[in-house]
Amino acid sequence: MPAAPRIACIALDRPLDRLFDYSIPEDLTLAPGQRVRVPFGRGSTIGVVVELASTSEVAPGRLRAIQEAPEAEPILGPRLLELLQFGARYYHHPLGEALLGALPPALRHGDPLPALTPETLWRMTPAGSQALADGDARGRRQQAVLRTLAHPNTTPHASPALDRATLAAATGLQLAPRELRAFAERGWLEATTPDPKQPPPPNTSDHTLTAEQRAAVDALTPDTGVPLLLEGVTGSGKTEVYLQMAERVLARGRQVLFLIPEIALTPQLSARIQQRFPGQVALLHSGLSEGERLRAWESARQGQRRIVVGTRSALFTPLPDLGLIIVDEEHDSAFKQQDGFRYNARDLAIKRGQLEQVAVVLGSATPTLETLHAATTGRYAHARLATRPDGSQPPAVEAIDTRVHTPDEGLTAPLLDAMQQTLAAGHQCFLLLNRRGFARVLACDACGWVAECPDCDARLTIHAHNPRAVCHLCGHQEPRPQRCPQCGEALAQRGLGTQRLEQALARHYPTTPLIRLDRDSIRHKGALEEALDRIRQLDAAIVVGTQMLAKGHDFPQVGLVGVIDVDQGLFSVDLRATENTLQLIVQAAGRAGRGSGGGRVLLQTGHPDHPLIRGLNAADYPAMVAPLLEERAAAEMPPHGHLALVRVEAGDAETTRRHAERVATHLRNAAAEGLRVLGPAPAPRHRVNRRFREQILLQSTQRGPLHRALTRARHAWQTDDLPRGTRIAIDIDPVSLA
């Protein structure tokens, strides 16, 4: 009989491509995926068992023993462990960092799993409904809670109540238990404690599916692992399709994983999911405290919460009965991790669906070219919602030639005329400018001096009501000079940001309610929800903001969307800049004309004859991007090729250049036929936060040669004696080359 394995190969949270062998004490029984505490150096650390072995290269007398196993069972199941191992290989990242990074921070620190207790649910009473109708609930917090519980799809005592986390997410408020108990003491709410083994049924929907929506729901093929692209014009009701799909999966006793790009920017969506499935949703995102995140994670792992809604890291949540993965706004670059373990949650969601044989739905009005190509060539199933539920389509996009109509602080006469007409008709105007701040440049017209960041290749940005100039790359701030430090002349503020546009609009429309929506205006918790509520309540007739205006919000009174400037994206050196620009235009256009009054979309551009501008059609995105796909095919770029970017960083330019040359040499030595190694060359942003960056681009029509060359070259450069502070990072399938 062979000896039972008494050696565990452990992954630790260290930037090393190896596992660490430890002996298993006689009183411990371990399995892959189990969390353990082991001695490491002079202390101890948490690791994850990857495999068991009977022998080790470490001499028996030098093999250290595992100290303890916090749990008696694995917390990462075999399929999830396989997914993370695949991800570490595919993205060429140390397995230990990938595995430990998939756990909630509290578990990485060694905390025990929490004991879960049934959570109280809160239901509005008839007295609460009357208080809301009579205006007795006068405070903003009171009104927000009661309005949420009076959701159109719920009536008191006729449907399940909502838990505190759901109420907090839906209202954007921090709700303490004592505050909800105070509502109950007034007679407005009543509390119930559900049986965790019998989750509340979903709230019924009063939405009647269109024929296209029914066909999309029916296109879901469970237990196959085949991805489904749900491509729908903005406002076509993709969310209702998601909810109907989820309801079918829940009825089979399975769980649903719902990935969204940025939970802070989609409160309407997350609240709608929670209201439809009260008491069944676990929220997972970085805005939670460690304790809240751990309890939500554990409730999903134990199957108590049947739906997980979260950002990209929620992909790695253990779900024992997973039946469906939904990736909303699959085109959003927020699904790609930009440092450390540089994975794409959308792509790994597809892989998880294949491993666990569950359906994966990719939803977007503007899918990435890779996803669209996979659907049109038959690798993915494809369902299309070509019209909105009322039968309408997004409004046409009209171009305003800024060579003819010179903008005054970003505003042309045709745009101002259209805004006046829209406001007179009682509708809202949305103006999108994807640059925050007041002015982009502080410069001297006399001698040419420009305020630049001392630590980056970037100019300092000016913000209103801030006496300091700010670098948006590294965060450096310094006092804002009033006169040129070289010649003493007065300085000019050049360029346009959302704050300056807001100021110009206030001059044109001094009595019209106006709100700005960008990251500067929503810094404190609840500010975004408060702003969105003001927009929905028509407290703001003009809304100016950055791309977050285009993040899937549903405002039926928007009659005009103006896109101030998109020309930079049409001529950028970045591979995906034009694709991203078209996506932004279509998403922004989708905010207009959702109500009965129709809508207009005006795009200010100095290049109205550009082929992509002439071809703008928000109702036919595939036709819009067809020229881009042809260009990519001719250049053998994604989706007709594969890319990897290797970045070398160091504290001085010469060290960076020298080691980038060595890395490029290793890659060329390892390259097979069909693989191109381009560079090294300075990154478009060569210096960021006092560090210099060089990059090497790998291009191949096949994945195999690219990954084999990276593997061989990586082993070679890891033997190089790198100077302290020099870092080499690999970015597979980069979403940006900048």
Side-chain angles (χ1 to χ4, degrees):
M1 291 287 292
R6 300 307 302 168
I7 296 171
C9 305
I10 310 293
L12 301 180
D13 192 4
R14 298 292 185 275
L16 300 171
D17 278 327
R18 54 163 295 191
L19 301 177
F20 296 84
D21 291 351
Y22 288 87
S23 65
I24 304 173
E26 292 297 328
D27 59 344
L28 272 186
T29 300
L30 296 178
Q34 201 159 345
R35 193 168 63 124
V36 292
R37 179 173 290 280
V38 298
F40 191 81
R42 296 183 178 181
S44 64
T45 189
I46 292 293
V48 174
V49 178
V50 175
E51 56 191 46
L52 303 177
S54 301
T55 60
S56 172
E57 294 181 0
V58 181
R62 302 188 61 188
L63 204 62
R64 304 174 80 178
I66 293 171
Q67 294 172 335
E68 63 168 337
E71 296 84 36
E73 60 183 19
I75 58 173
L76 298 177
R79 297 285 79 79
L80 191 52
L81 191 61
E82 186 177 357
L83 174 71
L84 286 160
Q85 289 176 299
F86 167 83
R89 290 193 307 271
Y90 184 82
Y91 293 102
H92 296 266
H93 194 76
L95 177 60
E97 290 188 341
L99 282 178
L100 274 297
L103 300 179
L107 294 185
R108 298 201 295 271
H109 301 157
D111 291 1
L113 289 173
L116 299 179
T117 56
E119 189 164 4
T120 301
L121 299 182
W122 299 91
R123 175 186 291 121
M124 186 166 68
T125 65
S129 180
Q130 193 66 42
L132 183 62
D134 294 345
D136 293 337
R138 296 175 182 173
R140 183 178 68 86
R141 300 174 70 86
Q142 294 175 350
Q143 292 178 9
V145 170
L146 294 182
R147 276 205 308 265
T148 299
L149 290 170
H151 186 263
N153 292 338
T154 65
T155 56
H157 301 290
S159 62
L162 304 183
D163 60 85
R164 183 167 61 92
T166 301
L167 277 170
T171 60
L173 302 172
Q174 289 275 33
L175 294 172
R178 65 177 179 275
E179 186 173 4
L180 295 176
R181 287 195 296 268
F183 278 76
E185 291 170 2
R186 287 173 175 253
W188 295 350
L189 301 184
E190 64 181 10
T192 62
T193 304
D195 181 354
K197 297 181 181 179
Q198 297 292 329
N203 285 325
T204 57
S205 172
D206 58 2
H207 184 98
T208 301
L209 294 180
T210 66
E212 284 183 333
Q213 288 175 319
R214 281 196 302 272
V217 174
D218 292 338
L220 184 70
T221 52
D223 307 327
T224 63
V226 176
L228 167 66
L229 170 59
L230 177 60
E231 181 195 351
V233 298
T234 52
S236 59
K238 291 185 292 296
T239 301
E240 184 60 33
V241 172
Y242 297 149
L243 297 177
Q244 296 272 358
M245 290 175 170
E247 194 168 329
R248 290 189 181 186
V249 171
L250 293 176
R252 297 169 51 221
R254 308 293 292 276
Q255 290 175 287
V256 177
L257 175 58
F258 205 125
L259 297 178
I260 55 183
E262 298 177 73
I263 204 160
L265 298 184
T266 52
Q268 280 182 300
L269 176 59
S270 57
R272 187 171 172 186
I273 298 169
Q274 291 171 300
Q275 289 167 337
R276 186 70 162 268
F277 303 102
Q280 300 191 57
V281 179
L283 287 177
L284 285 171
H285 56 90
S286 58
L288 301 173
S289 68
E290 285 195 7
E292 289 172 330
R293 190 167 185 172
L294 180 57
R295 285 190 294 275
W297 186 88
E298 178 64 2
S299 67
R301 188 183 77 91
Q302 291 192 14
Q304 290 187 13
R305 297 294 175 115
R306 312 300 294 175
I307 299 178
V308 170
V309 179
T311 47
R312 58 178 176 260
S313 62
L315 169 67
F316 304 120
T317 306
L319 297 168
D321 301 309
L322 182 61
L324 173 65
I325 302 174
I326 296 170
V327 184
D328 185 43
E329 306 294 357
E330 67 86 27
H331 67 276
D332 200 299
S333 61
F335 284 120
K336 181 66 186 286
Q337 175 75 22
Q338 295 295 344
D339 55 16
F341 181 26
R342 289 173 166 82
Y343 67 94
N344 191 313
R346 177 202 62 210
D347 296 343
L348 285 188
I350 295 170
K351 183 64 177 181
R352 185 171 185 179
Q354 293 171 349
L355 291 173
E356 302 203 32
Q357 286 296 285
V358 300
V360 179
V361 177
L362 309 173
S364 178
T366 55
T368 62
L369 298 190
E370 289 87 341
T371 300
L372 190 62
H373 180 70
T376 54
T377 56
R379 288 198 294 119
Y380 296 173
H382 194 180
R384 190 148 191 253
L385 307 177
T387 58
R388 292 171 170 177
D390 62 1
S392 68
Q393 292 187 340
V397 180
E398 308 168 49
I400 298 174
D401 190 345
T402 55
R403 297 171 303 179
V404 177
H405 305 282
T406 304
D408 178 15
E409 291 192 289
L411 300 168
T412 59
L415 178 59
L416 289 170
D417 290 343
M419 290 181 64
Q420 188 64 50
Q421 295 169 13
T422 302
L423 295 170
H427 296 297
Q428 293 172 308
C429 299
F430 274 23
L431 297 185
L432 187 146
L433 174 63
N434 206 23
R435 300 188 194 105
R436 61 190 178 95
F438 185 84
R440 302 195 71 196
V441 179
L442 186 65
C444 176
D445 291 338
C447 71
W449 178 87
V450 175
E452 296 183 334
C453 176
D455 301 328
C456 302
D457 289 336
R459 292 172 174 175
L460 298 178
T461 299
I462 306 304
H463 288 252
H465 313 299
N466 184 353
R468 304 177 71 81
V470 181
C471 175
H472 284 177
L473 286 183
C474 71
H476 168 83
Q477 297 188 25
E478 61 184 52
R480 187 170 73 196
Q482 299 302 312
R483 293 195 168 273
C484 177
Q486 290 187 172
C487 70
E489 292 294 321
L491 294 173
Q493 298 178 1
R494 305 295 185 195
L496 191 68
T498 49
Q499 291 178 336
R500 193 168 195 167
L501 184 60
E502 177 190 27
Q503 188 179 92
L505 288 165
R507 283 199 303 272
H508 284 283
Y509 306 99
T511 61
T512 302
L514 185 154
I515 191 171
R516 190 181 85 250
L517 198 62
D518 57 25
R519 292 199 180 276
D520 295 320
S521 68
I522 59 165
R523 289 191 182 278
H524 69 268
K525 191 173 182 64
L528 175 64
E529 290 79 3
E530 182 179 341
L532 296 178
D533 189 55
R534 282 187 58 196
I535 297 170
R536 281 192 292 271
Q537 299 299 319
L538 305 183
D539 289 343
I542 301 175
V543 184
V544 56
T546 56
Q547 62 179 341
M548 63 176 61
L549 282 182
K551 290 285 186 177
H553 307 299
D554 185 9
F555 301 114
Q557 291 302 313
V558 178
L560 171 69
V561 170
V563 186
I564 300 302
D565 180 19
V566 296
D567 290 346
Q568 184 178 4
L570 297 176
F571 300 99
S572 171
V573 297
D574 200 337
L575 169 69
R576 301 182 191 274
T578 305
E579 176 187 358
N580 294 340
T581 298
L582 291 178
Q583 290 168 341
L584 181 62
I585 293 171
V586 173
Q587 293 286 343
R591 303 314 110 201
R594 295 192 175 206
S596 57
R600 296 181 68 187
V601 180
L602 300 181
L603 173 67
Q604 294 187 163
T605 174
H607 303 275
D609 296 327
H610 191 288
L612 294 176
I613 298 296
R614 290 203 312 268
L616 284 176
N617 182 356
D620 193 355
Y621 177 75
M624 284 176 58
V625 298
L628 294 184
L629 280 166
E630 293 175 3
E631 290 177 5
R632 299 274 188 92
E636 296 183 340
M637 288 287 186
H640 301 283
H642 306 281
L643 299 178
L645 200 62
V646 180
R647 294 186 176 95
V648 181
E649 290 187 10
D652 69 88
E654 179 56 29
T655 298
T656 309
R657 186 199 60 76
R658 185 171 62 252
H659 284 279
E661 291 283 2
R662 293 175 66 178
V663 169
T665 298
H666 289 313
L667 287 166
R668 290 189 175 93
N669 291 339
E673 185 177 352
L675 175 66
R676 299 177 64 196
V677 180
L678 307 174
R685 292 171 177 162
H686 189 209
R687 183 172 55 116
V688 175
N689 202 12
R690 302 183 185 180
R691 295 182 62 80
F692 292 84
R693 310 189 308 166
E694 298 268 339
Q695 57 191 37
I696 303 141
L697 183 66
L698 277 68
Q699 179 187 9
S700 176
T701 56
Q702 302 293 326
R703 293 189 193 274
L706 186 149
H707 283 279
R708 285 192 293 272
L710 273 172
T711 299
R712 289 195 292 267
R714 190 165 167 237
H715 287 315
W717 78 56
Q718 284 178 339
T719 64
D720 289 345
D721 185 18
L722 293 179
R724 185 177 181 84
T726 301
R727 292 198 295 264
I728 303 173
I730 298 173
D731 191 357
I732 302 294
D733 305 328
V735 297
S736 172
L737 302 185

